[in-house]
Amino acid sequence: FSLWKTPTIVPVIYTNSFVSGKILEGAGLMVPGIVVPEEGMPSLLMKTVVAIATFNNPKPFAVGYCCVGNFSEMMASGKGK
């Protein structure tokens, strides 16, 4: 509930509606499913708590954590989860 009231309390990662359905079925969010906003990606460290939202609806629908040590490097490679 708090995240809906203040959606910027944690970094937000955006995806599309197709991927959001898969996440809600239990899949992990992988790099190819991430939509990079105009302002770029947030800087994330391993175990940083993140919210996941669709790019057309800023209200987060899931919460997770970053499971990679160098998120920026992984985004550049286009692979991984």
Side-chain angles (χ1 to χ4, degrees), residues 14-30 32-35 52-57 61:
Y14 295 95
T15 189
N16 61 51
S17 58
F18 175 78
V19 174
S20 69
K22 298 298 181 186
I23 292 170
L24 292 172
E25 291 174 358
L29 178 59
M30 298 182 142
I34 295 175
V35 175
I52 303 172
T54 57
F55 67 92
N56 57 351
N57 181 355
F61 67 89

Side-chain angles (χ1 to χ4, degrees), residues 28-75:
L29 178 59
M30 298 182 142
V31 171
I34 295 175
V35 175
V36 180
E38 289 181 18
E39 63 271 11
M41 293 298 298
S43 178
L44 302 173
L45 301 172
M46 185 174 275
K47 297 188 180 178
T48 300
V49 174
V50 297
I52 303 172
T54 57
F55 67 92
N56 57 351
N57 181 355
K59 299 287 186 181
F61 67 89
V63 176
Y65 63 92
C66 187
C67 60
V68 295
N70 191 333
F71 187 75
S72 299
E73 188 175 293
M74 185 165 285
M75 283 298 297

